[in-house]
Amino acid sequence: MKTYQLTPLEKLQAEKERLRDERSTAERRMLFQFQYLANNWGTILAQSVSGVFRSRLLETVENISYAGTNSATSFLTSPRKVKWGNFLVSNLPNIAQITWRIAKPALITFATKKIMGMIFKRNKKKK
């Protein structure tokens, strides 16, 4: 018994129909995704921004708890009397690193608020 073989023209037409169906399915999926984005863009933006700040905050807290580095860095002290000037100078890199890790999120938040204030100016009520 012989099976029916498709001609090259019929193969092309079948391929064309398959691709047309694929394209229409992809269009429907993309329209659904655009509709979802249009309806939920504010929530998505807020979640992504808060996620970034949350991860940065957790990273900062982790680094502060480990004195700014993952290695065991100890403060240098002299065996005799500890003079504050010598102590600060000898540990300046460690102190600066810890201070920067604490101040950086605050500075980023301050700059973000200022920029958002400039972009979305609020009308202040005149008394």
Side-chain angles (χ1 to χ4, degrees):
M1 180 184 232
K2 248 184 172 180
T3 58
Y4 178 72
Q5 294 290 325
L6 292 176
T7 65
L9 179 61
E10 291 172 334
K11 286 180 183 178
L12 286 175
Q13 289 172 341
E15 180 71 14
K16 183 178 178 182
E17 185 64 31
R18 186 185 65 78
L19 291 174
R20 186 177 291 133
D21 289 342
E22 255 184 50
R23 187 185 70 215
S24 66
T25 304
E27 281 179 4
R28 284 193 303 267
R29 189 175 344 144
M30 188 173 63
L31 288 173
F32 176 76
Q33 289 172 346
F34 280 142
Q35 186 65 36
Y36 178 81
L37 287 174
N39 292 339
N40 300 310
W41 67 270
T43 306
I44 294 169
L45 181 65
Q47 286 175 347
S48 64
V49 169
S50 66
V52 168
F53 283 124
R54 187 180 307 119
S55 67
R56 294 279 172 95
L57 179 65
L58 290 175
E59 178 183 316
T60 303
V61 169
E62 247 181 42
N63 287 337
I64 289 171
S65 66
Y66 290 114
T69 61
N70 291 334
S71 63
T73 307
S74 60
F75 285 99
L76 303 173
T77 58
S78 63
R80 297 179 192 163
K81 292 182 180 178
V82 176
K83 294 183 180 178
W84 283 105
N86 291 340
F87 175 77
L88 291 176
V89 170
S90 64
N91 294 304
L92 192 58
N94 292 335
I95 295 169
Q97 188 176 21
I98 293 170
T99 305
W100 176 244
R101 300 260 183 188
I102 293 170
K104 188 166 115 176
L107 292 173
I108 290 172
T109 304
F110 175 75
T112 304
K113 285 183 181 178
K114 285 296 185 182
I115 291 170
M116 294 302 283
M118 284 188 258
I119 293 173
F120 303 110
K121 293 182 180 177
R122 296 182 189 141
N123 294 333
K124 295 183 179 179
K125 295 180 182 178
K126 294 182 181 179
K127 290 185 179 181

